[in-house]
Amino acid sequence: MSRIATPLASHHSAQQPLLNTQEMVLQIFNHIDNKTTDLGAETWSEPVSNYRSQERLDAELGLIKSSFVVFCPSLALSNTGDYVARSAAGVPLIAVRAEDGTAKVFRNACRHRGVQLAQGHGCKRVLVCPYHGWAYALDGQLKNITHGSGFPEVDTKTSGLVPVPSKEINGLVYVGQEASDTTASSLDLIPQIIPDNYELVEIDEMDVDANWKLFIESALEGYHIRATHTKTFFPVQYDNLTVVEAFGGNSRVTFPYQTIESLRNKPQKGWSTNGRMTQLYHLFPNVIVSTFPNCLQVVVLEPLGLEKTRQHTYLLGRVATGTAEERKTMTESILQGQAFAKTGAIEDREVVMSAQQGLHSGANEHLTFGLFESAIGRLHAGLSRELG
Ligand code: FES
Ligand SMILES: [Fe+2]
């Protein structure tokens, strides 16, 4: 049986605002000095059957459809005609930057016989169907039917691409396929995560043989830093030291770097945590945004099956500025930050796939998440609350 109460970090509840820089640094210093970490109120026990039941997965996909979830960062749609096409909860969608500057999201299906208008990402001024060439403007209007005389009854005014409700807030484009507008109000709780001086570096997708929740779990605790990231994160971070906060159904887990110590002899007013911590934002249910020095990753986990997940990664990085020499140095450190983030992601992927195999072993009827892993408890508590 999973427990009903939501485990929360003892100092923080979903209603409190997120810590500001000073509060965060003081909390971290407190943990460093006392060799402690944020603790949840209780452990969480999640039935293994919840990772192995098709019925449960279908309900989770239904939840993704009925929520506003991140589709892509705005930076993936910087210019007019930029598009990102992919499936969300199994439904093919396409997001485009329209002529009027707004991001539009449509069902990615031609109104003739349903062929997808584009795949992956790129830039087009007109969306031309690859099957028979029907052409749609970036606002979705059907502009041209090839040899239109063959379709005397098609009214181009009502045969545009089918729009999907979307919102663009703080540099993230959200879709709410079957979401009510009241659901969108929860997006107001999500802080600005993407810095202004960032650009899109790359878009990547990878299929991984694991349940999507095992993925999210790997991002939400610092208990594995020493054992899993022995040569990557552990040498620059701390063993089992995280600050865990809740906002709405979401969580933020902060992993300080040892360089945070340099703030101890600086006045609090000048404290900057840039490059001195990684923060993982879990945007309920299936999105993780993780910050690294000079870059961040927006990762959307698209469940393809009980044991298969498509990981869509949008890597954003700081724009190098200044003189040629300064830009060169900055570019090097930006690339270093990206390599650091990518290596850590590979290490996580390996343990996640191994955990998936472990579900088959029959050893565990439940997975137990300890007091250090309270953000994972919140994920499962949120799913239980929504799905019963
Ligand atoms: S299916 Fe698109 S033009 Fe025929
Ligand atoms: Fe990890």
Side-chain angles (χ1 to χ4, degrees):
M1 278 291 294
S2 50
R3 308 204 177 161
I4 304 302
T6 308
L8 291 171
S10 47
H11 73 283
H12 203 88
S13 81
Q15 281 73 40
Q16 284 176 318
L18 292 166
L19 298 179
N20 65 29
T21 300
Q22 279 77 20
E23 292 164 335
M24 177 62 77
V25 173
L26 291 171
Q27 175 81 350
I28 290 166
F29 285 166
N30 193 34
H31 283 320
I32 295 172
D33 296 341
N34 297 298
K35 298 201 179 336
T36 51
T37 186
D38 274 9
L39 295 178
E42 57 182 30
T43 60
W44 182 270
S45 179
E46 181 68 6
V48 164
S49 57
N50 278 351
Y51 300 82
R52 304 198 62 191
S53 140
Q54 185 61 44
E55 199 184 333
R56 172 74 177 205
L57 179 65
D58 292 343
E60 289 165 356
L61 289 167
L63 174 65
I64 294 172
K65 280 190 203 157
S66 64
S67 316
F68 273 94
V69 289
V70 172
F71 188 73
C72 64
S74 301
L75 284 170
L77 307 174
S78 292
N79 304 305
T80 304
D82 282 353
Y83 68 86
V84 170
R86 66 174 178 81
S87 289
V91 179
L93 301 178
I94 181 166
V96 295
R97 181 68 63 193
E99 310 269 0
D100 67 0
T102 60
K104 310 252 184 228
V105 184
F106 305 103
R107 292 181 188 271
N108 188 6
C110 178
R111 299 303 304 280
H112 177 216
R113 279 159 57 190
V115 164
Q116 294 184 33
L117 296 148
Q119 311 271 356
H121 58 276
C123 186
K124 292 180 194 254
R125 301 307 290 213
V126 181
L127 299 168
V128 179
C129 177
Y131 203 176
H132 312 95
W134 286 24
Y136 302 85
L138 299 176
D139 64 0
Q141 278 190 63
L142 177 57
K143 292 309 247 189
N144 188 49
I145 297 178
T146 322
H147 302 302
S149 57
F151 294 88
E153 267 121 54
V154 172
D155 177 1
T156 51
K157 289 201 177 51
T158 56
S159 303
L161 298 177
V162 177
V164 177
S166 66
K167 309 265 173 205
E168 187 170 24
I169 306 171
N170 286 337
L172 291 169
V173 177
Y174 298 83
V175 286
Q177 300 185 45
E178 294 166 7
S180 67
D181 232 38
T182 48
T183 331
S185 63
S186 66
L187 301 179
D188 297 340
L189 296 168
I190 301 174
Q192 166 102 38
I193 307 172
I194 300 170
D196 288 336
N197 55 349
Y198 270 37
E199 63 187 350
L200 177 72
V201 178
E202 64 184 30
I203 299 179
D204 181 48
E205 75 174 49
M206 183 181 289
D207 289 356
V208 184
D209 294 330
N211 185 276
W212 70 279
K213 290 176 290 186
L214 295 175
F215 250 106
I216 303 263
E217 290 164 3
S218 77
L220 292 184
E221 41 86 3
Y223 180 44
H224 73 282
I225 293 294
R226 184 162 74 178
T228 304
H229 302 296
T230 317
K231 296 207 170 106
T232 46
F233 299 158
F234 178 58
V236 296
Q237 296 184 6
Y238 295 88
D239 181 22
N240 199 26
L241 194 175
T242 51
V243 176
V244 182
E245 301 164 272
F247 55 110
N250 315 297
S251 299
R252 178 169 79 174
V253 184
T254 299
F255 300 70
Y257 299 170
Q258 290 160 22
T259 53
I260 197 114
E261 296 274 3
S262 66
L263 298 180
R264 285 200 198 253
N265 33 27
K266 293 205 175 104
Q268 285 197 19
K269 273 211 179 105
W271 280 357
S272 159
T273 51
N274 269 353
R276 295 192 172 97
M277 55 175 59
T278 276
Q279 291 190 300
L280 294 193
Y281 292 82
H282 172 218
L283 305 182
F284 184 82
N286 63 329
V287 177
I288 297 278
V289 182
S290 51
T291 70
F292 292 92
N294 296 318
C295 67
L296 67 76
Q297 291 177 318
V298 177
V299 178
V300 182
L301 297 166
E302 164 77 358
L304 297 182
L306 280 171
E307 302 186 17
K308 197 171 266 301
T309 301
R310 184 159 295 166
Q311 182 186 13
H312 294 279
T313 303
Y314 303 87
L315 177 63
L316 312 181
R318 189 169 160 196
V319 180
T321 51
T323 64
E325 195 54 32
E326 285 164 347
R327 282 204 306 277
K328 189 164 164 268
T329 316
M330 204 183 280
T331 303
E332 273 163 22
S333 93
I334 290 170
L335 291 174
Q336 245 174 24
Q338 291 168 8
F340 180 66
K342 282 183 187 173
T343 315
I346 292 168
E347 292 167 344
D348 282 325
R349 209 150 38 228
E350 276 167 16
V351 288
V352 163
M353 287 191 289
S354 178
Q356 177 66 52
Q357 291 309 307
L359 295 182
H360 290 290
S361 71
N364 300 306
E365 278 185 22
H366 294 81
L367 300 187
T368 305
F369 301 100
L371 299 177
F372 313 130
E373 302 171 300
S374 63
I376 302 176
R378 294 195 77 251
L379 159 73
H380 292 300
L383 291 171
S384 310
R385 198 170 47 239
E386 299 289 338
L387 307 177

